[in-house]
Structures are given as C-alpha cells and as structure tokens.
Amino acid sequence: MAVSPIIIICLLSLIGYGSCHPPPPPPPRGCSVDVDPPYRVLCDLEAVWGVVLEAVACSGGVTSLVLAVLLLVKLRSISDPARRSGLGPLLLLLGTLLGIFTISLAFLVGKNQALCVVRRAFWGPLFALCFSSLLVQGVRLRRLVSGKSSPSGSTLAALGLALALVQGIISAEWVLLTVVREGHPACEYPPLDFALTCSYTLGLLLIAMGLSLGVVLCGGEFAAEGGGNSEEDRETENEKRRWKCNAVWLFLSSLASALLWVAWLGFYLYGSQALRGKANRERGGGKKDARVLDEPALAVALVIQGWILLLFHAIPEAHLCLRKPPQSNTQDFFDTSHTSPPPHFGDELPSHSHRPFAENQAFSMEEHSASSSHGNVRPGIAFRGHVYQPTEMALVMNGGTMPTAPVNYTGRRLW
C-alpha cells in the first residue's frame, strides 16, 4: 500500500509534463510526419513558393551540369585557339552556378549554427567566382577584338580563382571574428555587415560590365591600324564582329546582375526592415517574425542570379564556342591537307583502238626504208635519221611520260 502514493505522484508528474509540452503541430499538406519542421518548407503545398523555388533551383543545377558535361565532351572538336580559350572561364562559371543553386536550398530550410556558418561563408565567394569569370571573359574579348592572342583557358580560369580568393579570405575573417572570437551566434548578424562583406564582389561585377561595354562600343578602336579592302581584312572584320557579339551577351548578363543586386540590397537593407517593423507593431511588438523575410529574399536572389548568368552568358557563350567557324572563300594554294588526285590524261580522250606513237612509228618506218635504199641497214633496229623528238600527241597518248629512244640508238647518222 505504500507503493501506491509513489505511482500516483509519477503519473501526476507525467500528466503535468505532457500539459506543459503540447504535441507538435500536424505536418502540412504534402509533408509526412517523419519530415522535421525546419525542412517542411521544401514540401509544403499550402505555402507553395518554397516548392516552386526548389524546383527552379534544381532545374538550374541540372542545366549547368548538363552544359558542363557537353562542353567537356566537345572539347576535342574545338580546334580554334581563340574559341578554345573561353572554355576555362565558362567551365568555372558552370561549376559555380551549380554551387549557387545548391546553396539556395540552405536559405529555405530552418536555421541552425552549422547551416548559418555555411550561408555566411559561401555566399560571397560563390558570387565572386561568378563575377571574376565574367571579368576574365571581358579581358579575353578585349584582346581578341584588338587583334592580339588570348591567354589559354587554364590561365584565365586560374586568374578568376585568384580574384575570387580575396573574397574567400574576407568572408572567412568575418565568420571567425564574429562567431569564434566574439562568440556571437552565427545566425544573428546585422544586415549591413552582410552587405558590406560583398562590396568586393560588387566591384568585380562593375569592372566586368565596364570591360564588356568598352568592347561593344570601342572594339574597333583597340586595333593598331585600320584594315584595307583585301579579302583577309574583310575576314578580320567579320571575326571582330563575332567577338563583339560575345561581348554584347557579356554586357547584358553583367547589367542584369547589377540591377538584381541593387534590387535585393535595397530590399534586404530597407524594405525588409520596414516590413518587419510594421508586422511587429501589428503583433504587439513580438519578436516571432523578426527575420522571417530575410532568408527567402536571399534564396530568391540566389536563384534569379544563377538563371541570369545561365541564360545571358553561359548558354550563348557555349553556343558560340561550339559553333563551327565559317569557311573562308579564298583558296590556300599552299595548304596540303586536301590533296587532289593527279589528272588522268587518258580519260579525256575518245576511246579508239590504236597503238601509241603511231605517227612516230610511221615516220621511223619511212626513214628505215629510205636508209635501206642506200644499202646501209642496221638489222633489227628501227631508227630515224634525226634527233628523237616526241610530239604532243605522243605525250598525251603515253599518259604524260616522256617516251625515250631505243637503248642501242646511236644518234643521227651523217651521210
């Protein structure tokens, strides 16, 4: 009987614990019970924006991967060094776009310490890689339009990596100073600090846009001398026009990226704070939705930026690299790659049955009979009294080779 009060106390404590911690809310439509609440935005069909953004990001990642594989497969078929030099920065850009579409999913799910460190550490370097790829493409197009040779694709890709490394150092120092040294939570940081750490990335974008605009507007002035009216000069002008087409796509992608950055920075720094303040005043000053708009805004900016670079730069650049160059109208007489078979003189003549050198043999027979009348005969030797000179018909009938006199022909007899 003494055990029953203990059992009753335990049951009452369990009931009180259950009343203090209510059961978790049921999952939304489209999500199962096994999905954790932070990840339910990826399958919530009631708030469909997360599913749509996830689908757009996944399709962009698949497109970048397929385009990169296609360029690697067609790499051997591109023999022009000028076109081949653009593949290095283009492959670097496609790999970076795959990372951008992947990290955009990290801004959709709930926040924890490790996930926030990943967001802050990879946001700036990924964009720096994208914009440094655009910058080195602008340097390449400027040299090609001016008539100079472009650096190799590996050199341009290494230059892009070196430029993006600076942003990587900036982001790493920011995370280490605020999280490790000062001990602040990784998910709590002022929006202004986040925007200032991306100032170097924005500088790369502006330089790339300036270079591409210079190639589009002043591309012909970069050349040393003006061209003439020869066929070679016309081909050079056509080649410069094609490089200007690449520069137009590069400028459009840079301009669209700059407009997007102005839009999302303005919303992230001012519009999001205004909306949060209004929502907090309506809810009585609560802090429940203090940052509910920040992460979706960053995720949308990532996905839109990736598709801008994919549609306005990666796909046109890949098409222009893989397109076969137009054939030249001038004939290179010193080109031995295409050899024509030697002419067959016998095929051009009408078919008739007669032996070659008929006129020469007739002439020799007359000379032989004439010399026999004088009594001086060389038995078994058909010769002429003059120097042996084959006619043009004899050359044609013999297939182009020079007929020779008999071996034991001693030359002209003097009598």
Side-chain angles (χ1 to χ4, degrees), residues 17-30:
Y17 180 80
S19 62
C20 295
H21 296 274
R29 187 168 59 91

Side-chain angles (χ1 to χ4, degrees), residues 230-242 327-330:
S230 63
E231 187 69 25
E232 183 179 356
D233 294 332
R234 285 194 294 269
E235 290 181 2
T236 304
E237 291 299 324
N238 293 333
E239 190 70 19
K240 289 181 180 180
R241 194 175 296 111
R242 288 192 289 270
Q327 299 293 333
S328 176
N329 296 327
T330 58

Side-chain angles (χ1 to χ4, degrees), residues 65-294:
L65 183 61
V66 170
L67 193 58
V69 172
L70 179 62
L71 288 175
L72 290 175
V73 170
K74 296 288 186 178
L75 185 61
R76 295 180 179 272
S77 63
I78 304 175
S79 58
D80 187 8
R83 297 179 183 274
R84 195 182 180 92
S85 62
L87 292 180
L90 185 56
L91 290 174
L92 178 63
L93 176 64
L94 290 173
T96 309
L97 289 179
L98 183 60
I100 282 181
F101 287 122
T102 303
I103 201 176
S104 64
L105 302 178
F107 286 89
L108 293 177
V109 299
K111 296 184 289 186
N112 55 49
Q113 189 75 3
L115 207 57
C116 291
V117 170
V118 170
R119 294 175 183 177
R120 295 172 59 176
F122 286 96
W123 172 278
L126 286 176
F127 276 116
L129 280 172
C130 291
F131 298 150
S132 63
S133 300
L134 300 183
L135 192 150
V136 296
Q137 288 280 16
V139 173
R140 165 181 167 264
L141 292 176
R142 183 186 174 108
R143 290 184 61 86
L144 289 174
V145 169
S146 62
K148 302 177 183 179
S149 61
S150 171
S152 62
S154 58
T155 304
L156 293 174
L159 179 59
L161 286 172
L163 292 174
L165 183 61
V166 178
Q167 180 62 44
I169 295 174
I170 294 174
S171 299
E173 288 183 352
W174 179 46
V175 173
L176 290 175
L177 288 176
T178 56
V179 177
V180 178
R181 177 176 294 183
E182 299 180 0
H184 296 298
C187 298
E188 295 181 4
Y189 49 87
L192 184 59
D193 292 352
F194 186 77
L196 288 177
T197 54
C198 301
S199 57
Y200 174 78
T201 301
L202 190 59
L204 293 177
L205 175 61
L206 295 178
I207 294 174
M209 185 169 61
L211 283 174
S212 59
L213 183 61
V215 174
V216 172
L217 297 180
C218 310
E221 299 179 1
F222 293 150
E225 304 93 17
N229 295 325
S230 63
E231 187 69 25
E232 183 179 356
D233 294 332
R234 285 194 294 269
E235 290 181 2
T236 304
E237 291 299 324
N238 293 333
E239 190 70 19
K240 289 181 180 180
R241 194 175 296 111
R242 288 192 289 270
W243 296 130
K244 284 186 179 181
C245 180
N246 292 46
V248 168
W249 285 108
L250 180 61
F251 173 71
L252 289 178
S253 61
S254 302
L255 179 62
S257 300
L259 294 177
L260 175 65
W261 271 67
V262 170
W264 85 259
L265 280 176
F267 177 79
Y268 185 69
L269 295 176
Y270 303 105
S272 178
Q273 292 182 0
L275 291 177
R276 286 199 306 266
K278 182 180 179 180
N280 290 337
R281 286 192 301 269
E282 291 178 355
R283 294 175 181 271
K287 298 182 179 180
K288 182 178 179 180
D289 298 325
R291 288 184 175 272
V292 71
L293 296 176
D294 291 350

Side-chain angles (χ1 to χ4, degrees), residues 306-361:
W307 272 105
I308 285 176
L309 295 177
L310 196 61
L311 293 177
F312 287 94
H313 180 69
I315 294 178
E317 185 69 25
H319 171 69
L320 294 173
C321 286
L322 296 177
R323 186 180 61 181
K324 294 183 180 179
Q327 299 293 333
S328 176
N329 296 327
T330 58
Q331 182 180 1
D332 189 2
F333 295 98
F334 299 97
D335 186 12
T336 58
S337 59
H338 304 284
T339 57
S340 58
H344 299 281
F345 297 100
D347 298 340
E348 299 176 0
L349 298 176
S351 58
H352 47 76
S353 60
H354 64 279
R355 299 176 61 187
F357 314 112
E359 70 283 357
N360 289 345
Q361 291 179 359

